[in-house]
Amino acid sequence: MDWGTLAGTALGAILGVSTTLIAERSRWQRESTAREQAVRQQLYAEYLGALSLTTHRLRDLKRSTGLTREERIEQAGEILGSTNAYHLRYQMLIIAPAQLGDAADKAFMRVRDLRDRFDGPDISADPDWPLTMSAVSEALDSLRRAMRANLTTG
């Protein structure tokens, strides 16, 4: 038996298997990255949607007439709870990078501040409402930019 032929065959087999394994690992990494990106994109969209919906519904509640102060307070609390914002907030804090998690938490706090405006005696005459709405808009814009940057860089 010629050892050169046997060594050449073994070396060829090792190179072939190694190349295949490297290619498969590379494909697996690409697919894994794509799945993670899709999960982040879905979570970011749902979280922004929940915060925006909460803001919109609180604005509508402020405009509603015929409700007592206690009814408004109760409905404001139900609005924040019903939009799934709390649940999504914790997912954001776990999945998102720290800087984005901070922006997500800040946006949530601003929306919660908006909800807390209903604790005042007369929300329809609240002089701080425009300032609070502005803070919510700025926090949501900042969060949107941070999310977009995170999704484009990877």
Side-chain angles (χ1 to χ4, degrees), residues 72-85:
R72 285 180 197 250
I73 291 171
E74 182 180 340
Q75 285 187 20
E78 289 172 2
I79 286 170
L80 185 57
S82 69
T83 59
N84 211 20

Side-chain angles (χ1 to χ4, degrees), residues 126-141:
D126 183 0
D128 292 329
W129 180 269
L131 184 62
T132 306
M133 278 299 300
S134 177
V136 169
S137 294
E138 288 173 18
L140 289 175
D141 287 342

Side-chain angles (χ1 to χ4, degrees), residues 2-3 15 31 33-34 36 50 66 93 107 109 111-112 115 118 126:
D2 182 16
W3 288 104
L15 287 174
E31 290 173 355
T33 300
E36 289 174 10
L93 293 174
M109 296 299 181
V111 171
R112 196 171 65 188
R115 188 249 354 239
F118 287 88
D126 183 0

Side-chain angles (χ1 to χ4, degrees), residues 10-68:
L11 182 61
I14 290 171
L15 287 174
V17 169
S18 297
T19 303
T20 301
L21 289 175
I22 290 170
E24 283 297 314
R25 177 153 174 77
S26 177
R27 184 174 64 96
W28 175 81
Q29 284 179 325
R30 278 193 314 273
E31 290 173 355
S32 178
T33 300
R35 279 191 303 273
E36 289 174 10
Q37 178 89 349
V39 166
R40 282 196 326 263
Q41 186 175 4
Q42 180 70 28
L43 174 60
Y44 295 175
E46 287 180 17
Y47 188 61
L48 272 176
L51 294 180
S52 296
L53 177 62
T54 302
T55 302
H56 175 74
R57 290 177 65 194
L58 288 172
R59 211 174 23 234
D60 285 349
L61 179 61
K62 180 185 181 287
R63 293 182 193 132
S64 65
T65 58
L67 296 175
T68 66

